[in-house]
Amino acid sequence: MKVPLLDLKAQYASIKPEVDAAIAEVLESQYFILGPKVEQCEKAIAAYSNCSHGIGVSSGSDALLVCLMAEGVGPGDEVITTPYTFFATAGAIARLGATPVFVDIDPETYNLDVSQITSKVTTKTRAIIPVHLYGQMAEMDAIMQVAEEHGLVVIEDAAQAIGAEYKGRRAGSIGHYGCFSFFPSKNLGAAGDGGMVVTNDAQRAEKVRVLRGHGSKPKYYHKLVGGNFRLDAIQAAIVSAKLPHLDEWTSARQRNAKRYDQLFGEAGLPVGIPAVVASRHIFNQYVIRVSGRDELQAHLQKNGVGTEVYYPVPMHVQECFAYLGHKAGSYPESERAAKETLALPIHPELTEPQAQFVVDCVREFLAVPALAGTQSKAASE
Ligand SMILES: *Cc1c(COP(=O)(O)O)cnc(C)c1O
């Protein structure tokens, strides 16, 4: 049985007329950059996220970058974030000449260990970027409290978490800014790159909007140096066409997660399943923890099951960040997660027999006697 990690063709087939019509409308209008389709999309995503402003941007990476630019973050500044994330989070900080300061993760949720944040705050700290990894929000109460105490800006990296909730509040609506990505593999994906900044602060929204278009306002008059961070009308139209389906897709992901939890539980396998602590986990990924991860991934691949490692190399040990002077071992939970975690297929179109097959393959692998000795928790530490 083939079980792809993601099945975008199946998703497209289920909504083809709506998506095709949205694209055709933009082509008919020949209005490709910003314009009414982008404005419509901005309003819809802001409303969905319980925010008063949405600014369409070129990607989730640029969303993070433009928020930091709007705060004037630059050389000499420090920004606190997690080392266990997609590169863009730390990259945005470093590109502006600021220093990413890492805080290790909570091994249960893979999100920032909030008990360690205060010890990393210095007089140079300007902002905190919590990442809502895999679709579950970080502990925002604690993060906002530290930020308030020290006068820091909070930029939520919600690239994997559109529609996720923490104590009933939507991702992107708690910090000063929220950043979404419409990369095709995200829960709400475009047909290319795209992203959105959301905020409840009118002044911050305006600054991001100006920076998105090279800092010009009015046209050809530049008070600020921005960039070309614009969202295309075609991408915006596709995102708007897909948005009405997002909640039903999220429910399907949650159903699939429950199914895996149950199947792994029944099988009694030494597999760590995701801990759900936030009020709405949207399961951009369903990530298990297991020793012998690489061998398991190879076994699954041999059986036609697509998986991925998010992420094999934590930020503090990336070659490009060698200048920060971190050593392997300095963020032990991130390093352990990088060795032990594996994302299984969780997309909305995943069927019950497919989920059963994935668990059967995992069981088959873990039952190999030669490998059984490596499964104990002690062996993995
Ligand atoms: C995908 C992602 C990004 C970047 O989004 P792009 O649209 O690909 O630039 C940033 N942070 C996290 C956590 C992501 O998963």
Side-chain angles (χ1 to χ4, degrees):
M1 185 185 289
K2 275 254 178 283
V3 189
L5 181 63
L6 196 62
D7 197 348
L8 289 175
K9 280 190 182 170
Q11 189 196 64
Y12 176 50
S14 73
I15 52 167
K16 191 175 180 334
E18 296 148 69
V19 171
D20 289 358
I23 295 171
E25 216 183 302
V26 175
L27 288 174
E28 286 302 328
S29 77
Q30 290 289 301
Y31 202 144
F32 294 126
I33 306 292
L34 299 178
K37 286 293 171 193
V38 171
E39 281 165 31
Q40 212 173 54
C41 182
E42 290 174 337
K43 285 207 172 73
I45 297 292
Y48 186 78
S49 309
N50 269 326
C51 286
S52 39
H53 308 274
I55 305 100
V57 292
S58 32
S59 67
S61 303
D62 286 342
L64 293 163
L65 186 70
V66 78
C67 292
L68 289 168
M69 287 171 76
E71 293 300 320
V73 169
D77 295 334
E78 296 177 354
V79 177
I80 291 173
T81 193
T82 163
Y84 190 62
T85 179
F86 177 61
F87 181 78
T89 321
I93 301 164
R95 276 180 65 185
L96 293 173
T99 304
V101 171
F102 300 116
V103 167
D104 208 0
I105 54 166
D106 170 343
E108 292 294 311
T109 61
Y110 307 106
N111 282 329
L112 275 181
D113 178 349
V114 294
S115 72
Q116 296 188 42
I117 298 178
T118 303
S119 68
K120 298 291 180 94
V121 175
T122 73
T123 52
K124 297 176 178 172
T125 311
R126 296 287 314 282
I128 306 174
I129 309 185
V131 178
H132 306 319
L133 205 67
Y134 305 145
Q136 174 162 249
M137 288 179 71
E139 271 181 68
M140 290 305 294
D141 278 352
I143 291 165
M144 295 310 292
Q145 196 184 328
V146 176
E148 239 157 75
E149 278 167 18
H150 300 274
L152 310 176
V153 169
V154 174
I155 301 167
E156 295 178 53
D157 182 341
Q160 302 182 8
I162 190 163
E165 288 175 8
Y166 170 84
K167 298 187 178 172
R169 296 171 73 189
R170 285 264 153 124
S173 71
I174 303 178
H176 300 88
Y177 304 88
C179 296
F180 297 123
S181 164
F182 304 133
F183 186 80
S185 69
K186 304 294 157 94
N187 285 24
L188 182 62
D193 282 308
M196 181 89 54
V197 173
V198 291
T199 179
N200 279 306
D201 183 322
Q203 276 180 332
R204 288 189 159 105
E206 171 64 11
K207 192 149 185 200
V208 167
R209 207 175 283 286
V210 170
L211 286 168
R212 167 184 73 177
H214 283 298
S216 96
K217 193 190 179 183
K219 209 173 177 183
Y220 305 126
Y221 290 79
H222 302 261
K223 248 191 295 216
L224 303 164
V225 178
N228 174 359
F229 304 131
R230 296 178 303 241
L231 177 64
D232 288 358
I234 285 189
Q235 302 304 344
I238 292 170
V239 167
S240 296
K242 289 172 85 169
L243 181 60
H245 298 280
L246 184 56
D247 283 337
E248 113 213 8
W249 291 334
T250 296
S251 302
R253 285 173 180 272
Q254 291 166 336
R255 176 205 65 206
N256 294 339
K258 233 181 225 144
R259 193 171 275 160
Y260 274 136
D261 287 352
Q262 202 174 350
L263 290 170
F264 280 124
E266 285 165 4
L269 298 172
V271 167
I273 59 170
V276 178
V277 299
S279 57
R280 191 180 192 227
H281 188 329
I282 62 152
F283 287 99
N284 178 240
Q285 303 296 343
Y286 183 93
V287 172
I288 60 168
R289 190 193 276 273
V290 65
S291 51
R293 189 270 317 274
D294 292 342
E295 293 80 3
L296 172 61
Q297 184 176 34
H299 177 78
L300 290 170
Q301 188 181 359
K302 209 174 62 198
N303 284 278
V305 177
T307 62
E308 188 58 89
V309 174
Y310 301 110
Y311 297 90
V313 183
M315 293 306 118
H316 66 285
V317 283
Q318 290 287 351
E319 204 176 324
C320 65
F321 291 137
Y323 70 92
L324 295 172
H326 297 299
K327 297 273 177 302
S330 39
Y331 298 90
E333 289 302 343
S334 297
E335 291 167 38
R336 193 163 71 87
K339 287 196 186 80
E340 297 181 347
T341 58
L342 189 65
L344 303 179
I346 188 71
H347 54 82
E349 300 77 17
L350 187 81
T351 65
E352 187 168 2
Q354 283 179 315
Q356 179 71 59
F357 180 72
V358 172
V359 174
D360 287 346
C361 289
V362 175
R363 182 197 284 123
E364 186 182 74
F365 170 79
L366 292 173
V368 177
L371 288 166
T374 65
Q375 303 310 323
S376 75
K377 192 160 190 291
S380 74
E381 283 170 355

